[in-house]
Structures are given as C-alpha cells and as structure tokens.
Amino acid sequence: MTALTQPRASVIVRGSIDEAARVGAALIAALVRERPDAVLGLATGSSPLPLYRALRGVDLARARGFALDEYAGIDHAHPESYHSVIRRDVVEPLGMDPGRVRVPDSAGADAYDDAIAAAGGVDLQILGIGANGHIGFNEPGSGLDTRTRVVALTERTRQDNRRFFGGDVDLVPTHAVTQGLATILSARSILLIAAGRAKADAVAAAIEGPVTSECPASSLQRHPAVTYLLDAEAASGLRGA
Ligand code: F6R
C-alpha cells in the first residue's frame, strides 16, 4: 500500500468516551430518521459499548445490521460468541429486530459479502480498533482487497481477548471469520470508536501514519467519510492532539 492523504476524516476528541459516544449516537440517530431501515455494520468488544448505551431510546426497530466478525469454531450459544454478544449488547437493548441482524459464520463466509450487497450495502459501519491496529479481525498483513473470510488470530489479539474467556488464553479461539478490509471500506460511512492509552499508538498509526498493511486501520485513510470518536487518552499519540 502507498500513502495517500485522508480525504474527509473527522477526528472528534472528548474528555470521556461517553461524551464522544454521544456525538456518534447523534449521527446514527440522524441517519435512521432519514432512512429507518438503514444498514448498520456492528462491532463487538468493549469499545462500542458506550455508543450502544448512548443509542438507547433511538428507534432502531426497522434498522438492519451486519456484524463485523465472529470467532470460528465457537458454539453460537456460547456467551462470548459474537452471535450472543450482538444479541445481548445490541439487538435486545436497542430493540432491533433479530431477523434483520446477521452475524457471519465461518461456514458461510463466502456468501456474507453478497448478503451485504443484496441489502444495498452498509450505510454506517461501527468499528473498534485492536492495539495492533486491526479492524474487524483483519490482523497486520491483511490486504486492502480482502473480503469476508476465515483468518488466524494473532497471539496479541488472543491475549487481549482472554479477559472475555475467564482470563484463559487457551479458551480464546485461534481463528475467526471477519469482514475483509475491502468489505469494510465499501461502507458508505464509518465510525471508529477508541478509548484509553492502550489504543493511542494504534490510533496515531491509523490516522497519521503511512497506509500500510502493518496497520490495517490505516486503510481507512482511503475512505472518504470516516469519523473517529476518541477520548483524550486514545488521542494522546496524535501529533495534532
Ligand atoms: C470486534 C472487532 C475488533 C475489536 C477490537 C477492539 O467486532 O472486530 O476489531 O473492535 O479488537 O476490541 P475492544 O473494543 O474490546 O478493545
């Protein structure tokens, strides 16, 4: 990948992530007011939780959703499967229709991009970022042309996620199915939310570093409509901060 300047990124920094999340929730509320059946790309993990909390009370009954990723080889009924997490953290508290929300499955990876396209594409993709710069589970080395596929998780990501599995890294799946970078970049708009010092280097590399497959989030510099929602700590590595 070669460097390009970022066309229209908007970097929103607030003292707390809850304040930043409220800005994001207002953008989503405006989208669904205009298009009640808007297609949302849904991230899991800790980062988007303040955004999902800030969305309570917004009418998402007709909105559609496509989750970003899912562990491979995990029972959908496992409490930490992203099927369970999306139902628990997003669909139920936000009153979404479970029939309108899809989560990928390793067996159906190839058909996932087609399903997104058949829905008219994602209007707004919500993202977190890994400490190693991953988005979705596109780990360093992922190409810009990647589509939904099964990938191996890095040791760093498995260590970062062991907190969801009782602290035991051996219980963290070794593989996942993830939307690819090309899938993510095909969304019409993107909201990336990040909080805390542990994300500062990845955020700085994503926004101000070169576009390189070593930092998959730097590929967002190629997208025309990305909004970063950051707390002061996550923004602390930015030269412009
Ligand atoms: C989750 C996902 C991941 C996370 C990232 C950050 O669906 O795709 O890219 O966004 O690993 O995780 P948290 O937010 O738990 O720090």
Side-chain angles (χ1 to χ4, degrees):
M1 293 189 228
T2 54
L4 270 189
T5 50
Q6 211 150 352
R8 282 193 297 280
S10 153
V11 181
I12 291 166
V13 183
R14 294 287 185 271
S16 77
I17 199 61
D18 287 328
E19 290 171 71
R22 282 197 287 277
V23 177
L27 293 174
I28 295 173
L31 170 66
V32 293
R33 260 197 309 275
E34 190 177 314
R35 188 181 306 192
D37 66 345
V39 179
L40 303 177
L42 302 168
T44 49
S46 308
S47 305
L49 294 177
L51 181 59
Y52 297 141
R53 273 198 302 275
L55 276 171
R56 290 186 189 199
V58 173
D59 182 4
L60 295 177
R62 290 181 55 204
R64 294 168 290 163
F66 285 90
L68 255 184
D69 41 21
E70 172 61 292
Y71 294 112
I74 198 168
D75 193 320
H76 291 176
H78 188 292
E80 294 307 329
S81 79
Y82 288 172
H83 280 78
S84 295
V85 172
I86 288 282
R87 191 180 58 248
R88 192 171 63 231
D89 291 347
V90 187
V91 171
E92 288 174 355
L94 298 184
M96 292 183 81
D97 175 354
R100 290 172 178 251
V101 177
R102 279 185 67 158
V103 180
D105 185 277
S106 39
D110 290 346
Y112 203 63
D113 283 35
D114 292 342
I116 292 173
V122 170
D123 291 302
L124 184 143
Q125 175 67 55
I126 298 164
L127 295 176
I129 183 170
N132 66 0
H134 73 210
I135 49 175
F137 279 130
N138 296 283
E139 299 283 31
S142 300
L144 265 180
D145 57 349
T146 46
R147 296 275 170 191
T148 303
R149 69 205 186 290
V150 175
V151 295
L153 298 178
T154 60
E155 180 62 19
R156 171 98 191 251
T157 295
R158 294 183 67 233
Q159 289 288 350
D160 285 348
N161 285 8
R162 78 191 154 101
R163 68 190 194 280
F164 297 115
F165 292 86
D168 185 351
V169 73
D170 291 335
L171 296 180
V172 182
T174 57
H175 290 73
V177 54
T178 182
Q179 290 188 27
L181 293 179
T183 317
I184 292 169
L185 291 172
S186 68
R188 281 182 276 283
S189 62
I190 293 177
L191 268 187
L192 186 150
I193 182 163
R197 180 68 191 83
K199 299 296 175 70
D201 291 347
V203 164
I207 298 176
E208 294 179 341
V211 177
T212 163
S213 60
E214 288 318 299
C215 176
S218 67
S219 64
L220 299 174
Q221 294 180 32
R222 297 279 176 85
H223 193 283
V226 184
T227 302
Y228 297 88
L229 303 171
L230 309 174
D231 71 356
E233 289 189 331
S236 61
L238 293 171
R239 286 191 296 274

